[in-house]
Amino acid sequence: MRQILVCLILFGAALTFPVIAAEKVELSIDASKTGAKIDRNIFGQFAEHLGNGVYEGIWVGPDSKIPNTRGIRNDVVAALKAIKVPNVRWPGGCFADEYHWRKGIGPQRTVSLNPSWGGVIEPNTFGTHEFMDFIEQIGAEAYLSVNVGSGTPQEAAEWLEYLTTAQPTTLAKERTANGHPAPYKIGYLGIGNECWDCGGNMTADFYLSQLKIYSRFVRNFNPEQKDKQQMLKIAVGPGGGETRWTDWTETIMKAYERRQWSWDIDGLSLHNYTVVKWPPAYASVGFGEKEYIQILKSTLDMEELVRKHSAIMDKYDPQKKVALVVDEWGGWYAPLPGSNPDFLVQQNSVRDAILAALNLNIFARHAERVRMANIAQMINVLQAMIMTDKEKMVLTPTYHVFKMYVPFQDAVFVPVTFDAGAYIHNNISLPRLDAIAAKDKSGKLWLGITNIDPNQPVEIQVNLAGSTVKSAAGETLTAPKVDSVNTFESPKTAVPKPVSPMVQGGKLTLKLEPKSVTVISVEQ
Ligand code: AHR
């Protein structure tokens, strides 16, 4: 660290204060060396019937004073449209393995319970049609998790027939009577959730036999979903990196390699929360630098997990036909004091913005295998995009990172080389800087750079091999403290602000604020 002491003589008194000189880091980019497409689906969301994630967060009902369209909040829809949510995983989570879809269709809904999440009343007023209406309103695709734990293959098969057939079957007529004559499009089908735990505590072999049955019989009949439009089936995958989990991946992938015509999968899920201590003990607000670095160190474990499971998948699927789908990820902290602990309510700080950027960068670097991911969870639960309280809504720092990263959706990965340096605190050393680059469809180059260091700015210089920078523009998100959050009262503490990189002699330089996420577009 270099500090320059600047002395000012002001009104005869000598004031001495430190001006922190930024570390300099050169980023070298050869935009002609492109890699895999960063699938827009890695920016997917997860909405479980849990706490206020669905009820209140999305669904307020048509009679609510909160502005809504057919019961779905207009403010939330507008906010989600702005981040171009590609897909939403629903109805769980653990809830999915207790979900019986028939309770949530038609004029008379069955009032049941949500035993996984506090045993509260589940009114089933937000069911199949409401979910499909919601994703249509936000312009996303449906990722349905079917009930393997306590359901049957027949129940799941009938749900899919109800949703997707264009033929005049009894189920299609029922769908029509319930207001939707046209078949729905279902992009993704999750066959169970955490079947090794809340989804039924199955062994890998037992789950594998279930998977084969569901894969065979749960069909999508939508005539428009042929070939490239086909529904993709995602198997339950590992929940960590230990032998138990690598064995799970081995079991599924080995069977995949030897599969017969009668079953198939397109994805294998991976669940990994940044939690450090279980049960979740770290505070989501009101913490210091020690907890800041501990959480960020832990989140970087995602890299090793993805690498480890990808290596196993490579053995059995060298053509990378099966995607690694990280369909639950994010920070999981202690419940906010005073909240219902079963509702998983936590705040969302600038640390979470950085955590989100680091994970998205890892997925982008593994874009050839990681083609889908779903942050947990979309609204009011865990590392949420949005928090609501009755008619109020606030966008979290994580939301803003997802918005800043929109240009990376379906852009082509471009490698960046740099010496990240080190940020050291409390005997933990992390790379000071992280960066990804990508080229969008129009050929524009985008850079996402995270300065993890909460104390030091970093001055970057971007060098383009065989090309020069003509102009650049961007946005940066930071906030005064490591635990700064946006609240209903102060919603703009951590929001993106424009930055103007300096372009001189074909090179770009920019000073990055401490603890910041910056996205810039570069014209060459
Ligand atoms: O996201 C909360 C819970 O975490 C999900 O329901 C479950 O799949 C996971 O254990």
Side-chain angles (χ1 to χ4, degrees):
M1 180 179 80
R2 287 164 294 146
Q3 289 188 345
I4 304 164
L5 288 181
V6 176
C7 296
L8 280 185
I9 309 292
L10 197 63
F11 302 123
L15 296 180
T16 306
F17 59 91
V19 171
I20 299 164
E23 288 292 324
K24 289 206 164 87
V25 176
E26 281 194 24
L27 306 177
S28 302
I29 302 173
D30 182 349
S32 65
K33 291 208 172 89
T34 50
K37 183 181 87 174
I38 302 169
D39 200 306
R40 68 182 197 287
N41 280 314
I42 70 163
F43 299 90
Q45 298 288 333
F46 172 34
E48 178 165 14
H49 286 235
L50 193 178
N52 297 325
V54 168
Y55 298 107
E56 292 193 32
I58 300 172
W59 180 256
V60 287
D63 300 329
S64 171
K65 285 197 184 108
I66 299 171
N68 68 83
T69 302
R70 294 179 293 278
I72 294 162
R73 294 180 75 122
N74 293 345
D75 52 355
V76 163
V77 166
L80 294 172
K81 272 169 95 167
I83 57 171
K84 297 195 189 302
V85 175
N87 72 81
V88 182
R89 179 171 180 250
W90 177 83
C94 299
F95 178 81
D97 279 295
E98 304 191 87
Y99 185 62
H100 300 284
W101 65 276
R102 283 208 149 274
K103 295 182 180 176
I105 57 160
Q108 291 301 319
R109 303 293 168 95
T110 305
V111 177
S112 56
L113 295 172
N114 186 338
S116 281
W117 302 113
V120 296
I121 291 280
E122 168 53 59
N124 282 302
T125 42
F126 188 89
T128 301
H129 289 262
E130 291 74 22
F131 172 67
M132 295 308 293
D133 188 10
F134 166 63
I135 58 154
E136 227 164 81
Q137 288 190 36
I138 66 168
E141 284 194 283
Y143 175 8
L144 290 187
S145 245
V146 293
N147 182 344
V148 172
S150 69
T152 62
Q154 186 178 353
E155 182 188 8
E158 286 176 0
W159 194 14
L160 266 287
E161 184 194 319
Y162 176 86
L163 281 157
T164 63
T165 187
Q167 308 224 53
T169 67
T170 303
L171 282 168
K173 286 181 186 161
E174 196 178 356
R175 185 189 68 224
T176 304
N178 288 332
H180 209 277
Y184 286 113
K185 186 176 171 237
I186 305 299
Y188 309 93
L189 187 83
I191 302 180
N193 168 73
E194 298 193 354
C195 289
W196 30 260
D197 191 21
C198 71
N201 222 313
M202 302 170 190
T203 62
D205 286 326
F206 184 84
Y207 172 69
L208 179 62
S209 7
Q210 301 294 306
L211 172 67
K212 291 176 180 173
I213 295 168
Y214 277 75
S215 166
R216 168 86 183 114
F217 297 115
V218 186
R219 297 179 171 99
N220 186 318
F221 297 102
N222 190 327
E224 284 175 16
Q225 288 200 257
K226 298 254 187 282
D227 309 320
K228 281 195 169 167
Q229 293 287 304
Q230 236 172 43
M231 177 179 78
L232 303 183
K233 296 174 186 175
I234 297 155
V236 169
E242 296 84 5
T243 315
R244 175 189 172 199
W245 304 117
T246 49
D247 285 354
W248 185 284
T249 301
E250 282 275 347
T251 304
I252 308 294
M253 291 307 297
K254 191 186 268 181
Y256 168 82
E257 189 193 30
R258 297 172 187 174
R259 76 196 178 285
Q260 289 151 335
W261 66 270
S262 55
W263 73 280
D264 204 356
I265 54 169
D266 308 280
L268 180 74
S269 82
L270 166 66
H271 286 188
N272 178 47
Y273 287 96
T274 302
V275 64
V276 181
K277 235 187 204 171
W278 193 264
Y282 276 59
S284 57
V285 64
F287 57 85
E289 191 172 346
K290 182 170 150 220
E291 294 80 14
Y292 172 85
I293 197 166
Q294 284 172 336
I295 287 288
L296 294 181
K297 176 182 185 307
S298 165
T299 215
L300 289 172
D301 293 347
M302 181 68 89
E303 171 74 38
E304 174 58 10
L305 272 186
V306 166
R307 199 200 51 70
K308 211 178 222 179
H309 291 290
S310 297
I312 300 170
M313 295 173 84
D314 284 348
K315 273 200 297 182
Y316 302 109
D317 171 33
Q319 291 177 309
K320 302 189 195 300
K321 286 188 175 158
V322 179
L324 186 59
V325 175
V326 191
D327 56 10
E328 286 189 30
W329 68 273
W332 189 331
Y333 311 123
L336 277 187
S339 68
N340 181 339
D342 289 316
F343 282 13
L344 312 186
V345 183
Q346 60 190 43
Q347 249 300 359
N348 195 296
S349 66
V350 75
R351 179 180 65 185
D352 293 298
I354 290 175
L355 184 155
L358 294 176
N359 280 278
L360 293 171
N361 293 354
I362 292 168
F363 303 151
R365 278 194 279 270
H366 290 273
E368 73 295 344
R369 180 67 83 179
V370 179
R371 299 196 289 271
M372 187 153 162
N374 300 72
I375 189 166
Q377 299 193 2
M378 192 163 63
I379 306 164
N380 293 330
V381 176
L382 299 176
Q383 189 174 344
M385 306 293 112
I386 295 174
M387 294 168 88
T388 63
D389 180 14
K390 301 188 187 71
E391 75 293 347
K392 290 184 273 187
M393 178 186 87
V394 66
L395 306 175
T396 66
T398 302
Y399 171 92
H400 292 296
V401 169
F402 270 68
K403 184 141 183 245
M404 291 163 75
Y405 267 60
V406 164
F408 290 97
Q409 293 198 11
D410 285 341
V412 178
F413 185 77
V414 175
V416 193
T417 50
F418 56 96
D419 177 356
Y423 153 52
I424 301 167
H425 180 78
N426 198 39
N427 292 325
I428 297 176
S429 175
L430 297 185
R432 167 170 288 142
L433 196 82
D434 191 29
I436 57 160
K439 233 197 290 191
D440 71 14
K441 280 191 189 115
S442 73
K444 192 185 272 183
L445 187 65
W446 292 87
L447 268 170
I449 320 131
T450 300
N451 180 8
I452 300 176
D453 194 322
N455 307 309
Q456 306 292 321
V458 174
E459 189 176 306
I460 55 158
Q461 178 178 306
V462 178
N463 306 322
L464 298 182
S467 175
T468 53
V469 178
K470 285 205 181 84
S471 64
E475 282 187 315
T476 197
L477 178 139
T478 185
K481 297 193 293 169
V482 286
D483 69 334
S484 291
V485 298
N486 294 334
T487 62
F488 298 114
E489 296 73 34
S490 303
K492 295 206 164 144
T493 307
V495 294
K497 303 212 165 69
V499 285
S500 307
M502 202 164 80
V503 178
Q504 233 172 22
K507 292 192 192 310
L508 174 162
T509 53
L510 179 66
K511 189 164 142 190
L512 306 173
E513 297 297 319
K515 55 175 162 14
S516 64
V517 179
T518 304
V519 171
I520 46 184
S521 64
V522 178
E523 299 283 357
Q524 319 171 48

